[in-house]
Amino acid sequence: MPAETPIIFDNVVVELASRRVTVGRRPVTLSELEFELLVYLARHANQLCTYEELLRQVWGYGSKRDDPHLVRLVIMRLRRKLSHRRRKPMPIRNVRGLGYCLDHSK
């Protein structure tokens, strides 16, 4: 079975099989939740991902964590970890009151 193709945007590489993330060839340590959120946003690049959608798809159905504030906190940590190794901020854009969008030009 062939390995899944890595997700690449800007200088960020997300290797799905090994669950490894690099920024400019330097590894970045992400929690399981941060990794899953990044993968979800990357797979839905340039699309609005609502808070409800993220909570359902990343946190899982039946999760007691139904507060959009939880999404904001994980996004903040994700931005900080990935921007630390970049010259520019991560292109994760907040759509006020609705959710987030990972902006990626192909």
Side-chain angles (χ1 to χ4, degrees):
M1 185 166 132
E4 269 189 272
T5 305
I7 298 171
I8 302 170
F9 55 95
D10 292 339
N11 65 341
V12 178
V13 178
V14 181
E15 297 176 31
L16 300 167
S18 63
R19 302 183 67 80
R20 185 175 164 190
V21 176
T22 56
V23 178
R25 297 181 190 236
R26 292 187 175 143
V28 176
T29 303
L30 299 180
S31 71
E32 182 178 338
L33 189 56
E34 292 163 346
F35 181 85
E36 293 299 328
L37 182 56
L38 177 61
V39 168
Y40 190 84
L41 290 170
R43 285 183 170 159
H44 297 86
N46 302 314
Q47 299 174 29
L48 170 64
C49 297
T50 66
Y51 292 117
E52 293 80 15
E53 174 186 355
L54 293 170
L55 286 165
R56 188 175 60 249
Q57 297 298 323
V58 177
W59 273 258
Y61 284 109
S63 174
K64 294 179 183 176
R65 302 173 183 163
D66 59 353
D67 184 359
H69 183 67
L70 293 171
V71 178
R72 290 185 204 107
L73 288 174
V74 177
I75 290 283
M76 182 179 69
R77 289 194 324 245
L78 192 55
R79 282 177 172 157
R80 185 175 49 234
K81 287 180 177 184
L82 296 177
S83 295
H84 176 71
R85 303 252 185 220
R86 296 167 50 88
R87 295 181 189 265
K88 57 185 177 178
M90 278 301 300
I92 301 173
R93 178 173 48 89
N94 176 255
V95 180
R96 189 176 176 141
L98 296 176
Y100 291 90
C101 179
L102 187 132
D103 293 325
H104 176 56
S105 56
K106 297 179 181 179

